[in-house]
Amino acid sequence: MADSDADKPLRQISTAFKELAVIVNSPSPEVPVAQFSHACSLVSPLFGCLGIAFKFAEMDYVAKVDDLVRASSSISTLVVMMDKDIEADCVRKAGSHTRNLLRVKRGLDMVKVLFEQIIASEGDNSLKDPATKSYAQVFAPHHGWAIRKAVSLGMYALPTRAHLLHLLKEDEAAAKIHMQSYVNSSAPLITYLNNLFLSKQLGIDW
């Protein structure tokens, strides 16, 4: 990666998830925990850029990704990680790697929908509609009333589109390219993760 991209989160995210997409689109995909957790860690700053509305999501996402980063020191792939939790009968217990993986997957999905909505609303300087739609589609069904209410109030403190791009150090044209790249690359990854949970009869709505 060029040095000039080192402080540009969108470009780092774009590159990392393109590499993961190549893996999950291969005939026999085996996703390394280390590579996956590193790519996910690059997404963390995005939640911080969205302000107080996504503060809970940021804290939860970062904690879950950190757990997967730690797990990567002793566990090779996501499949092996899930199988270990299944064998230990701890899949649904708080703090299990598999439970944390499900939460991280939702974070990736939320960012995917957010980027789709931002691209579709080109010309609108407000992020309220894209952020509201992405939260409602991905996170809201799993959050209680108190968190949903706090997020709703926080939507009024979102940065403008222009300020978000300033925080991400990108202009409109470049940001659109990298956001679309993430959307394209994350889609097969999210599908792979959903299928992984379903293939092991774990479900994805818990």
Side-chain angles (χ1 to χ4, degrees):
M1 185 182 300
D3 291 341
S4 59
D5 290 352
D7 63 345
K8 296 194 173 185
L10 282 182
R11 298 183 189 211
Q12 292 183 315
I13 291 167
S14 173
T15 299
F17 281 85
K18 278 181 186 174
E19 293 169 356
L20 286 173
V22 170
I23 295 175
V24 298
N25 285 325
S26 66
S28 302
E30 288 287 347
V31 180
V33 180
Q35 185 175 350
F36 176 79
S37 59
H38 172 69
C40 293
S41 71
L42 298 175
V43 177
S44 299
L46 285 174
F47 287 100
C49 290
L50 294 172
I52 194 169
F54 288 90
K55 190 62 182 175
F56 176 83
E58 178 192 13
M59 293 170 64
D60 190 56
Y61 178 85
V62 169
K64 273 35 173 192
V65 170
D66 285 349
D67 172 70
L68 297 183
V69 169
R70 289 191 296 272
S72 71
S73 65
S74 60
I75 302 174
S76 57
T77 68
L78 296 182
V79 171
V80 170
M81 184 179 79
M82 294 177 75
D83 286 344
K84 282 179 177 290
D85 281 351
I86 291 170
E87 186 178 347
D89 194 25
C90 67
V91 168
R92 295 207 177 200
K93 291 181 180 177
S96 83
H97 301 317
T98 300
R99 186 176 185 273
N100 289 343
L101 175 62
L102 182 61
R103 269 53 177 181
V104 168
K105 180 201 72 97
R106 285 184 193 141
L108 300 179
D109 200 8
M110 199 286 298
V111 172
K112 173 180 171 288
V113 178
L114 177 68
F115 283 178
E116 288 172 337
Q117 294 296 325
I118 288 176
I119 292 168
S121 63
E122 188 173 3
D124 185 353
N125 197 37
S126 172
L127 292 180
K128 188 170 184 295
D129 279 352
T132 299
K133 288 175 181 176
S134 59
Y135 176 78
Q137 181 173 324
V138 180
F139 282 149
H142 307 285
H143 285 171
W145 178 87
I147 294 175
R148 294 199 307 270
K149 183 67 174 174
V151 170
S152 177
L153 292 172
M155 291 294 181
Y156 293 95
L158 285 165
T160 62
R161 183 192 193 100
H163 187 52
L164 176 64
L165 295 184
H166 172 73
L167 292 172
L168 297 174
K169 301 179 182 178
E170 298 286 0
D171 60 30
E172 181 77 35
K176 184 176 180 180
I177 290 170
H178 298 306
M179 286 182 181
Q180 188 62 57
S181 172
Y182 172 81
V183 168
N184 295 344
S185 299
S186 64
L189 175 64
I190 291 167
T191 297
Y192 168 81
L193 293 172
N194 284 338
N195 289 339
L196 194 55
F197 276 88
L198 295 173
S199 70
K200 296 183 181 297
Q201 287 79 51
L202 299 178
I204 53 175
D205 294 317
W206 49 277

